[in-house]
Amino acid sequence: MSSKPLHADASTPSFSPLYQQIKGLILQSLHAGEWKPGDPIPSEMDLAARYHVSQGTVRKAIDELAAENLVVRRQGKGTFVATHAEQHVQYRFLKLVPDEGDLDSEGPAQRRIVDCKRLRASAEVARALDLRSGDPVLQVRRVLAYRQVPTILEDLWLPGGPFKGLTAERLAQWHGPMYALFETEFGVRMVRAEEKLRAVRPDAEQAALLEVAPDTPLLSVERVAHTYHDTPMELRRGLYRTDTHHYRNELG
């Protein structure tokens, strides 16, 4: 990989600002695993020398990466690759919060793995994960409880290749955020997600797992999470109880 950014004529449609080119080169290094989650990245001075640009250009690129939670600046220590193990990052994709208190005061969820199996991707799952129908995937079903009350029922589908070796036992033994397990054990870091929400009623099995009546309205959240270069790596469908929790998203 060349360390020199590509330059383009500002009048052409393909033109992108220089700092965006530097951001792209840093993303390439992150994707390649040159700097792993939790590792420091080179200083702005070193990156400027590497890419033959000014420190101001590098700083602007890193500003965007920090705003996207891909790197974390630490006063007096430098800039580090963000990790889902960090407190302020691990709740990034969890938008269900308690009606009283907050996620920190509520504490981590109690997790129960209901099922974990390997199967062939259906057309729907394959489309979401950019696979072919019939490709191997891992399906996980789990229940998250807060203060002993089952609150979230999740079904996850993961591409079989990147997550080879992931088992129900490994999931049950892991006590941190699931995305931290993915990046630590499998080198997959989720950096972006998109969600679709709707109100639904559970089927009999779902109602039993969440310990609610079959006619209880639930919040259905379908998420596709991506790693670097917008590669989809997880399809997750969650059913949320909202009698003691609500979905909260900050805009702007």
Side-chain angles (χ1 to χ4, degrees), residues 33 62-63 69 74 114 119 136 147 157 195 200 204 214 225 244 248:
I62 293 177
D63 283 343
N69 292 304
R74 295 177 184 161
V114 178
L119 41 77
R147 299 189 175 102
W157 291 266
E195 293 184 332
V200 301
T244 59
R248 181 174 184 270

Side-chain angles (χ1 to χ4, degrees), residues 2-7 16-26 43-62:
S2 173
S3 62
K4 293 186 178 182
L6 300 175
H7 293 272
S16 62
L18 186 55
Y19 79 91
Q20 288 282 358
Q21 298 178 47
I22 300 305
K23 177 185 174 184
L25 292 173
I26 295 173
S43 68
E44 291 178 0
M45 182 181 297
D46 289 339
L47 288 173
R50 173 174 176 168
Y51 297 129
H52 310 287
V53 296
S54 69
Q55 282 185 244
T57 298
V58 170
R59 185 174 303 116
K60 194 167 183 180
I62 293 177

Side-chain angles (χ1 to χ4, degrees), residues 73-222:
R73 282 194 170 100
R74 295 177 184 161
Q75 189 66 32
K77 295 182 178 180
T79 302
F80 295 75
V81 182
T83 167
H84 285 283
E86 294 188 57
Q87 188 73 13
H88 77 284
V89 175
Q90 61 181 260
Y91 295 139
R92 180 182 169 200
F93 296 135
L94 179 60
K95 303 298 184 181
L96 195 72
V97 297
D99 292 339
E100 298 182 5
D102 55 27
L103 287 169
D104 290 327
S105 63
E106 185 174 52
Q110 299 87 52
R111 292 166 290 185
R112 177 168 71 92
I113 304 300
V114 178
D115 199 7
C116 181
K117 58 189 177 184
R118 294 190 176 268
L119 41 77
R120 298 294 177 180
S122 67
E124 185 180 14
V125 171
R127 187 165 49 251
L129 295 177
D130 198 18
L131 302 173
R132 293 173 298 182
S133 293
D135 279 354
V137 293
L138 181 70
Q139 181 179 358
V140 178
R141 169 168 279 197
R142 68 174 186 166
V143 175
L144 306 182
Y146 293 95
R147 299 189 175 102
Q148 311 305 317
V149 177
T151 305
I152 303 174
L153 171 62
E154 290 184 323
D155 287 295
L156 294 75
W157 291 266
L158 306 165
F163 293 96
K164 185 177 181 180
L166 182 60
T167 63
E169 292 74 21
R170 188 70 191 91
L171 288 167
Q173 292 167 2
W174 181 263
H175 299 295
M178 183 177 282
Y179 284 171
L181 170 65
F182 292 170
E183 70 180 22
T184 300
E185 301 290 334
F186 299 94
V188 175
R189 171 164 166 73
M190 304 301 186
V191 300
R192 185 182 73 81
E194 53 195 33
E195 293 184 332
K196 293 189 294 187
L197 284 71
R198 58 170 55 92
V200 301
R201 285 191 174 94
D203 61 28
E205 183 180 3
Q206 293 167 341
L209 288 169
L210 285 174
E211 299 179 5
V212 297
D215 61 348
T216 302
L218 299 174
L219 180 64
S220 169
V221 180
E222 180 176 304

